[in-house]
Every structure is written in structure tokens, then in C-alpha cells.
Amino acid sequence: EEVRCLAFFWSPDSKKLLYLTSPTADADMFKNLRGMALRCRWNVLHTDTGQRERWRAFTPSQPFLEEVLPNFDSYSRSMSFWSPDSSAFCFSGSCSQMTDKGYAEVQEGAWVQHLGDSTPVFVAESVVHTAWSPC
């Protein structure tokens, strides 16, 4: 499946590149249909080793899609999704989580993804924008 890079953000240690991808067909369709949910994935390239990490698909919050993505170059200079130590990043949107009863449940809000972990940690509901404090 062909993907398109929608945005990218350098880590504070300048050794990792966080980038957001979406299947090309979805990204092309999203340009024409406002309000459509867009399936995306976060990826990290470790520039010192060439290693890539890729996480499962999620749906970004609507304000993220409408405000941050079209202006990601400005946002990447004024805020950070990265933790100060470059070990994790945060994002807002909808992800499915497995419950204790063994079924998938969609949760919408703020998430933290630690590098090396397979699933993000849900930290707050009803959050549409996320950023990491520099200290």
C-alpha cells in the first residue's frame, strides 16, 4: 500500500524524525471531503541507526486534521509532540484498545506513545490538541 507523508517533527535530541503517514488514496480523498475521518500512522526514523518504528493506525482529532496538518511547518517550530528526552511523543485522536474482557473499544483523547512500546498509553479523554511541555 502506497503511503503519503503528511507531516514530520524532529526530536529534541535531533536523532529521530517523527512522521505521520496515511495511505495515498485516503489522503487524496481527504483533500476533497471535509469532515472525513483520515486513517493515519505515526512512524519514527532513528537517524543514527536507520531503524524505523511504525505504530498501528489511528484517526487524528478533527482540529488536528483541519488546523495542525495544513500548517504543520508553523506548528513544528512553535510546539513539540516530543517528550524533552526524545523517548516518547504525544498525539490526539481515536485509537482502539483491547479491554480486560477481550474486545476492542475505541477511545478518543490524548495519547502518549513511548518508543519501543507497541501500544500507546491513553492519558485523557475529550482532548483535541496535544503538545509536550519543554520542561
Side-chain angles (χ1 to χ4, degrees):
E1 180 175 49
E2 187 177 328
V3 296
R4 174 173 291 162
C5 181
L6 304 175
F8 57 90
F9 306 91
W10 283 102
S11 63
D13 68 5
S14 301
K15 295 181 179 179
K16 299 167 198 74
L17 185 65
L18 172 67
Y19 59 103
L20 185 66
T21 60
S22 182
T24 300
D26 289 2
D28 289 343
M29 192 182 324
F30 180 75
K31 286 181 184 176
N32 300 319
L33 300 173
R34 289 188 69 80
M36 176 188 147
L38 183 64
R39 193 172 42 125
C40 295
R41 286 186 190 271
W42 285 113
N43 307 264
V44 168
L45 170 64
H46 297 259
T47 60
D48 54 350
T49 64
Q51 175 192 358
R52 295 175 193 265
E53 291 184 76
R54 181 177 182 216
W55 289 276
R56 65 182 171 184
F58 78 103
T59 302
S61 68
Q62 207 60 37
F64 180 89
L65 291 172
E66 294 175 0
E67 297 166 23
V68 176
L69 276 186
N71 304 296
F72 87 88
D73 55 335
S74 296
Y75 279 93
S76 69
R77 293 183 182 109
S78 61
M79 60 180 274
S80 179
F81 297 112
W82 283 100
S83 63
D85 67 357
S86 303
S87 67
F89 61 90
C90 61
F91 63 96
S92 58
S94 300
C95 290
S96 61
Q97 292 276 92
M98 292 304 289
T99 67
D100 293 337
K101 296 178 182 173
Y103 60 89
E105 175 181 81
V106 176
Q107 291 182 294
E108 186 172 357
W111 301 83
V112 171
Q113 178 66 62
H114 294 274
L115 303 186
D117 288 356
S118 61
T119 57
V121 176
F122 185 69
V123 293
E125 60 185 47
S126 302
V127 175
V128 294
H129 280 294
T130 56
W132 213 291
S133 172
C135 51

